[in-house]
Amino acid sequence: MKQSDPQLKIRMPLELKEKIEAGARQNNRSVTSEVVALLSDECPIILGVEYIDRITGFRGIATGFCTYISGCNQALLSPPVSPDGALRDAAWFDAQRLEQTGGFPPIKLDNGATPGCDKPAPIR
């Protein structure tokens, strides 16, 4: 980064500031570089959007995302119910194999009062 790059002054909770500073120390970089790295590290999968697996053709809504230290990130796709109304099992896929379908508008949920998970993370 150059000194001439734009600057931004923001307010944040002390706990978040300390977390960013700890990450910067752990990664041997400045706080600015840590924030830029965190913001640039966008999740390739948008939760609530429909995807199709390019290899199997499996379709579903991305309801989970898991980042591994190895870089093999996976998304949990939840398919629609079967014609008889039965729930189908969701499945984990490598993010690089997935393509957005544009078939449905993104789903957004407000879990502020009742956060929680309905499916465990994958086991390697």
Side-chain angles (χ1 to χ4, degrees), residues 30-105:
S30 69
V31 169
T32 298
S33 293
E34 181 71 12
V35 170
V36 168
L38 289 168
L39 293 175
S40 299
D41 230 5
E42 294 181 18
C43 174
I45 300 296
I46 303 167
L47 298 180
V49 171
E50 184 184 48
Y51 288 87
I52 185 169
D53 177 44
R54 290 184 189 115
I55 296 173
T56 65
F58 188 96
R59 281 179 178 262
I61 303 295
T63 57
F65 184 76
C66 190
T67 301
Y68 292 96
I69 195 168
S70 65
C72 180
N73 302 326
Q74 294 187 323
L76 179 66
L77 298 187
S78 298
V81 296
S82 66
D84 64 352
L87 289 176
R88 296 180 179 165
D89 287 337
W92 289 94
F93 294 91
D94 289 348
Q96 65 195 27
R97 291 172 39 172
L98 301 178
E99 183 177 306
Q100 275 191 42
T101 65
F104 293 100

